[in-house]
Amino acid sequence: MGDRGGTGGSRRRRTGSRPSSQGGGGPAAAEEEVRDVGAGGDAPAPDKDKDGGANAGSGPWDLRCHRLQDSLFSSDSGFSNYRGILNWCVVMLILSNARLFLENLIKYGILVDPIQVVSLFLKDPYSWPALCLVIVANVFAVAAFQVEKRLAVGALTEQAGLLLHTLNLATILCFPAAVAFLQESITPVGSVLALMVYTILFLKLFSYRHVNLWCRERRARVKTKPAPAGKKANGGVAQRAGTVSYPDNLTYRDLYYFLFAPTLCYELNFPRSPRIRKRFLLRRLLEMLFFTQLQVGLIQQWMVPTIQNSMKPFKDMDYSRIIERLLKLAVPNHLIWLIFFYWLFHSCLNAVAELMQFGDREFYRDWWNSESVTYFWQNWNIPVHKWCIRHFYKPMLRRGSSKWVARTGVFLTSAFFHEYLVSIPLRMFRLWAFTGMMAQIPLAWIVSRFFRGNYGNAAVWLTLIIGQPVAVLMYVHDYYVLHHEAVTAGP
């Protein structure tokens, strides 16, 4: 090879084409070159590749194999490809839950019973109070329509119309609640479904009245000054071919399209898709069927035994066991909640939208990336969020309220409806749902103040995973004490 230390000696180094040992370099071909080593033994620095490391083809005689760099897990490294670790987390999650599910089967056997599901909706096969309530809801929709027809032609004053709408909307909330309390044959699950229908009807008719009022106000302003060519009173939208303007929208066809459409905000002209995609619709229907069965099975097999085993620790006030039951319930509860989200907001709403050729399919946004509680509530339920912004938040701002007051008002309204949909079917008032919703206000401040980025996202996930089973256990415990221990301890 040549004299390495001799003065004036020389060596010949041949570089080949082989992969670089330094990260980031690819195969490189270099010409054969001769380097002379000086008398002082100082070798010239090897050629650098584009990443700053030694040339990939510099051969075995390189004197340097290190460079300035950070470990991959250091924040300064700029490395962000953790896909393998994410896959590992998914595999570990599947394995751990598979163990829990197998343990559940060994301990309790198969608890899934489709016949028992029917009893959740019906006590008496000859009495269908929840279905009757849903059918009667048409009366309130027609009443709102008739009021709007008379307001459009001037047969009613705006003050009289406001009074009639207020009475109609108040009755929509009070009537099913009274039936749920007084009718013994209605089940809690049937009551929840009926109350949800009436709550949706309330929000829709509130929007229906609001938008038609805006159209009448615009029409009144247009009468005082000439309108530009091609413009009509259509909520501020230019009249185009095939569109509807006020008051031509006041038809039963238009009303019931809005009532069945997957939105809570009324418009005179909804965006429409060109056709019904049969394959897309079939996939959504199959998802609805599959995830319905999966949710029922998980609730019966996994959640119900855990909840039943939680009653004794609550009765004995054994706090360590209560926390253990809470953490054990958190896993199936959160999994069922995630499945419910996909089932409702993706499968069900997309299926209804496809059938009705409803074009706006933004039912949710990327709430899973939420770094604050506020961002979560703004993005996980878009139909409700749009209604709150359009018909509650912005009107309060226009009346001079501050943003904080308007935001608090939105949470108060949401807290009321959460408690309305839980306490009335259970026939008890404990305000756990109301308190949980109002607690979101200080929680949002704490997360935004002390947690940022990934830490904020982790805080949001933690509140979702732990908060819901706390409310579930509170209501189940109170329901058990009220309806079971009271019966056993009776006269």
Side-chain angles (χ1 to χ4, degrees):
M1 293 295 293
D3 188 359
R4 294 170 56 108
T7 304
S10 66
R11 73 177 180 206
R12 180 177 299 273
R13 184 174 63 184
R14 182 172 59 196
T15 59
S17 298
R18 59 187 178 87
S20 170
S21 61
Q22 304 291 335
E31 296 181 355
E32 183 175 333
E33 62 177 348
V34 177
R35 294 185 179 271
D36 293 328
V37 180
D42 294 331
D47 296 339
K48 299 297 184 77
D49 62 10
K50 63 181 180 180
D51 291 329
N55 194 308
S58 57
W61 297 104
D62 287 339
L63 300 182
R64 295 191 296 179
C65 63
H66 300 286
R67 63 188 173 97
L68 186 65
Q69 56 185 334
D70 293 298
S71 299
L72 293 184
F73 287 153
S74 299
S75 58
D76 294 333
S77 69
F79 184 79
S80 59
N81 185 8
Y82 297 102
R83 182 179 60 183
I85 295 179
L86 177 62
N87 292 335
W88 170 79
C89 292
V90 172
V91 171
M92 291 297 295
L93 182 65
I94 293 174
L95 290 177
S96 60
N97 283 282
R99 185 199 67 79
L100 291 175
F101 191 73
L102 182 60
E103 180 185 31
N104 179 276
L105 285 177
I106 294 173
K107 185 175 182 180
Y108 301 107
I110 298 178
L111 301 177
V112 179
D113 183 7
I115 303 300
Q116 188 181 16
V117 177
V118 179
S119 65
L120 297 175
F121 295 89
L122 293 175
K123 283 184 179 179
D124 182 358
Y126 299 102
S127 178
W128 299 59
L131 180 61
C132 293
L133 273 176
V134 173
I135 295 174
V136 171
N138 288 276
V139 174
F140 303 101
V142 172
F145 173 78
Q146 292 297 330
V147 171
E148 286 299 324
K149 287 285 287 185
R150 282 155 179 75
L151 286 170
V153 298
L156 285 174
T157 63
E158 288 295 336
Q159 291 77 10
L162 175 61
L163 177 61
L164 291 174
H165 274 303
T166 302
L167 291 174
N168 189 49
L169 292 173
T171 308
I172 288 175
L173 294 181
C174 296
F175 173 69
V179 173
F181 266 110
L182 300 176
Q183 181 59 254
E184 292 295 331
S185 62
I186 192 170
T187 63
V189 175
S191 179
V192 168
L193 295 178
L195 290 175
M196 286 185 65
V197 170
Y198 274 82
T199 300
I200 293 172
L201 180 65
F202 173 89
L203 298 176
K204 282 177 176 281
L205 292 183
F206 189 97
S207 178
Y208 187 71
R209 181 257 169 188
H210 225 167
V211 173
N212 283 307
L213 173 63
W214 294 339
C215 290
R216 286 193 298 274
E217 292 174 347
R218 176 170 291 274
R219 184 176 62 174
R221 289 195 299 268
V222 168
K223 286 182 179 180
T224 61
K225 57 181 179 180
K231 299 278 185 177
K232 286 190 178 181
N234 184 25
V237 180
Q239 180 72 9
R240 301 184 301 271
T243 60
V244 178
S245 60
Y246 186 83
D248 297 335
N249 64 303
L250 297 177
T251 64
Y252 282 111
R253 179 186 179 88
D254 179 88
L255 172 66
Y256 276 91
Y257 180 88
F258 169 56
L259 292 182
F260 284 98
T263 180
L264 300 175
C265 294
Y266 177 68
E267 288 185 23
L268 276 66
N269 298 282
F270 289 106
R272 304 292 291 272
S273 56
R275 62 184 180 87
I276 297 177
R277 297 169 293 178
K278 296 182 177 60
R279 290 185 179 180
F280 179 88
L281 178 61
L282 180 61
R283 287 198 299 268
R284 300 290 83 79
L285 293 175
L286 291 177
E287 287 176 356
M288 290 171 60
L289 179 62
F290 172 74
F291 286 119
T292 299
Q293 299 295 327
L294 182 60
Q295 289 178 88
V296 171
L298 289 175
I299 291 173
Q300 289 183 319
Q301 185 69 43
W302 204 347
M303 278 194 68
V304 172
T306 304
I307 292 174
Q308 290 175 342
N309 293 335
S310 302
M311 294 301 101
K312 189 177 187 304
F314 268 95
K315 184 178 180 181
D316 298 338
M317 297 306 292
D318 186 348
Y319 293 107
S320 60
R321 292 287 294 171
I322 290 174
I323 295 175
E324 186 269 338
R325 291 288 99 184
L326 174 65
L327 295 177
K328 189 171 183 178
L329 180 63
V331 175
N333 177 84
H334 188 64
L335 179 61
I336 291 168
W337 181 79
L338 291 175
I339 295 172
F340 172 79
F341 166 80
Y342 186 91
W343 173 81
L344 176 61
F345 288 95
H346 188 73
S347 301
C348 295
L349 294 185
N350 268 295
V352 174
E354 195 67 28
L355 280 172
M356 303 187 68
Q357 295 180 256
F358 186 80
D360 187 0
R361 308 294 175 89
E362 191 186 37
F363 305 122
Y364 55 90
R365 299 191 189 116
D366 61 332
W367 57 266
W368 46 88
N369 293 324
S370 302
E371 297 179 0
S372 66
V373 175
T374 303
Y375 187 88
F376 169 79
W377 288 110
Q378 291 173 346
N379 292 276
W380 96 279
N381 188 339
I382 295 301
V384 171
H385 174 67
K386 285 183 178 179
W387 187 94
C388 291
I389 292 295
R390 189 191 195 199
H391 298 291
F392 198 98
Y393 184 78
K394 288 185 177 180
M396 287 190 69
L397 293 181
R398 286 194 291 266
R399 289 183 173 89
S401 300
S402 66
K403 290 185 177 181
W404 188 88
V405 171
R407 191 178 298 117
T408 303
V410 170
F411 274 104
L412 273 170
T413 304
S414 180
F416 166 78
F417 281 111
H418 276 78
E419 191 65 37
Y420 175 80
L421 292 173
V422 177
S423 291
I424 293 176
L426 297 178
R427 297 178 182 178
M428 64 178 191
F429 294 94
R430 295 298 184 270
L431 299 181
W432 296 118
F434 185 90
T435 303
M437 282 303 303
M438 294 309 299
Q440 300 299 307
I441 298 176
L443 179 64
W445 181 84
I446 292 173
V447 172
S448 62
R449 178 68 175 82
F450 298 103
F451 301 94
R452 299 293 176 86
N454 290 333
Y455 297 103
N457 182 251
V460 172
W461 277 113
L462 185 64
T463 59
L464 292 175
I465 295 172
I466 300 299
Q468 293 176 2
V470 169
V472 170
L473 286 179
M474 292 296 101
Y475 276 108
V476 171
H477 170 264
D478 292 349
Y479 186 83
Y480 176 82
V481 170
L482 186 64
H483 291 81
H484 294 279
E485 288 194 352
V487 173
T488 57

